[in-house]
Amino acid sequence: MVQKLLVLGIESSCDETGVALVQCEAGSGSGRVPDLLAHALYSQIEMHQAFGGVVPELASRDHIRRVLPLAQEVLVAAGCTLSEIDVVAYTRGPGLAGALLVGAGVACSLGAALGKPVLGVHHLEGHLLSPFLSADPPQFPFVALLVSGGHTQLMRVDGVGRYVLLGESIDDAAGEAFDKSAKLMGLAYPGGPLLARMAEEGNPKAYALPRPLLHSGNLNFSFAGLKTAVLVQAQKMVAAAGESHFENLPRALQCDLAASTQAAIVDVLVRKSLTALQETGLNRLVVAGGVGANRHLRQQLNEACAKRNIRVHYPELHLCTDNGAMIALAAGMRLQSGIQAASMAYAFDVKPRWPLDTL
Ligand code: KG4
Ligand code: ZN
């Protein structure tokens, strides 16, 4: 008989505290996607906005305040009690050391108090598997485009825990390129979604911005130069208008630069993804991470892939950015596939830097 496991997942790697409950089938090896019973999220974005970016110490302290009430909330929503939890999972890395320590500390204390095992999860594995919770879940194998605030990677994914890195950013991540360009335009942190909104009103061809490493012959990315190009263009526009700040320019001009910036980032992401699909011979693409919420990226990928008979899968919009559901899911899928057992050793460590292909 299949043993059902109730897994509590805790995410605290950056500025979102997320908690979720999934139910999976222990070591069944079945390809069934674990059931998401409940999840709850608290975003600290407003708190960090005053500082123009995430303040690690404030993030850690706020995780401490939020994590237990969120755990209580998901238990109530799922109609479960603490004692029914079979495994406590948490994000072990990569991320901010102090923030990770809060989730790891709470998870291991809870596990020890309940006498239940714990399991440390890789944050990017959570993102990568999150499309399995969507209405149109993928099947292995596939190429994954991981585009978050801290990482931009193309991976070949043959199964749970079977990840081969095909290429990655040699400097800034795609999300960072969005956020840093947005900051130059006077938008609040994290500027990615705000820049994307302005881009919808602008002309993507208004300004010719560089597409770094587009013809590099490999699957690596580089976005650090783009923000300099955006800065130079913004300065030219401000000078030409005889203004002192970019924010004082007519909105149409601001939107044109936003649209041109977004187009440059998306163009590189789409073209490299297509090359990765061609080189691996795979016909399935999975997009994950915060930038995966970008409408223009989805539109361009959908169009390009439809022409080539390639299926594209995304996480549900609300699960693109950090959340607890993806951590509970990744733990559930690991336990189910039998590649990892949860541990009764409660001495925890965190891994602020942790390459996914070393799992
Ligand atoms: O995956 P995520 O929540 O955090 C990390 O693990 O890093 O990704 C956050 C990133 C931020 O850089 C944010 O600006 C970006 O995702 N982002 C977007 C959009 N929504 C979130 N970038 C462009 N367009 C969006 N709609
Ligand atoms: Zn993330």
Side-chain angles (χ1 to χ4, degrees):
M1 209 188 84
V2 182
Q3 189 203 353
K4 297 234 181 207
L5 290 181
L6 194 61
V7 183
L8 181 80
I10 299 175
E11 154 65 27
S12 72
S13 66
C14 190
D15 57 353
E16 259 103 25
T17 324
V19 181
L21 268 176
V22 301
Q23 191 166 53
C24 67
E25 298 172 346
S28 64
S30 90
R32 242 188 112 247
V33 179
D35 294 320
L36 177 62
L37 305 184
H39 78 109
L41 187 71
Y42 180 84
S43 173
Q44 307 175 353
I45 281 178
E46 240 173 68
M47 178 179 75
H48 297 293
Q49 260 168 357
F51 305 93
V54 177
V55 184
E57 182 58 27
L58 293 182
S60 315
R61 291 177 192 211
D62 207 55
H63 284 308
I64 295 172
R65 276 192 286 273
R66 309 291 171 191
V67 66
L68 289 178
L70 288 173
Q72 199 71 45
E73 194 180 320
V74 295
L75 284 168
V76 170
C80 301
T81 59
L82 257 187
S83 58
E84 287 174 279
I85 293 171
D86 295 298
V87 175
V88 187
Y90 61 95
T91 304
R92 189 176 173 208
L96 301 170
L100 289 167
L101 280 169
V102 176
V106 168
C108 291
S109 320
L110 203 54
L114 298 171
K116 298 292 167 65
V118 294
L119 197 155
V121 172
H122 196 293
H123 179 82
L124 294 179
E125 182 173 50
H127 274 305
L128 190 124
L129 297 176
S130 62
F132 281 94
L133 288 173
S134 73
D136 178 28
Q139 280 168 8
F140 299 114
F142 52 77
V143 168
L145 172 68
L146 263 176
V147 272
S148 71
H151 295 83
T152 300
Q153 299 185 327
L154 277 163
M155 316 273 311
R156 183 194 163 104
V157 179
D158 286 295
V160 181
R162 296 170 61 197
Y163 312 128
V164 179
L165 183 67
L166 303 172
E168 65 183 332
S169 177
I170 57 169
D171 42 55
D172 289 355
E176 250 174 311
F178 267 103
D179 294 343
K180 288 179 178 173
S181 303
K183 200 170 182 174
L184 294 173
M185 297 179 200
L187 300 173
Y189 175 84
L194 300 175
L195 188 150
R197 216 166 298 150
M198 288 180 74
E200 307 234 328
E201 294 173 39
N203 171 10
K205 296 199 171 110
Y207 305 105
L209 296 170
R211 267 72 170 154
L213 298 193
L214 195 56
H215 304 291
S216 62
N218 60 30
L219 294 170
N220 288 339
F221 304 87
S222 165
F223 290 111
L226 182 63
K227 64 175 183 291
T228 314
V230 172
L231 176 64
V232 170
Q233 184 58 49
Q235 284 170 340
K236 270 193 214 161
M237 292 161 73
V238 169
E243 282 290 354
S244 52
H245 289 97
F246 186 79
E247 301 94 290
N248 297 340
L249 294 180
R251 184 168 168 89
L253 287 182
Q254 296 187 34
C255 292
D256 279 351
L257 185 58
S260 303
T261 306
Q262 175 176 265
I265 299 169
V266 166
D267 207 12
V268 183
L269 294 176
V270 171
R271 294 223 232 156
K272 295 260 172 175
S273 300
L274 294 177
T275 310
L277 287 156
Q278 202 174 18
E279 285 182 6
T280 54
L282 296 176
N283 59 4
R284 214 177 266 278
L285 178 69
V286 161
V287 183
V291 181
N294 186 271
R295 283 241 311 247
H296 184 60
L297 175 65
R298 290 188 175 210
Q299 209 174 25
Q300 296 294 305
L301 279 176
N302 289 347
E303 265 176 38
C305 290
K307 277 189 206 147
R308 294 164 178 81
N309 243 341
I310 290 163
R311 292 284 313 275
V312 199
H313 303 263
Y314 305 93
E316 298 293 339
L317 272 181
H318 67 286
L319 296 181
C320 277
T321 44
D322 294 347
N323 62 82
M326 68 185 199
I327 300 305
L329 173 80
M333 287 181 80
R334 286 199 149 245
L335 294 166
Q336 205 161 274
S337 67
I339 60 165
Q340 191 168 349
S343 158
M344 298 293 280
Y346 303 113
F348 60 87
D349 64 351
V350 295
K351 293 186 163 208
R353 285 176 190 276
W354 189 8
L356 182 58
D357 56 342
T358 60
L359 270 187

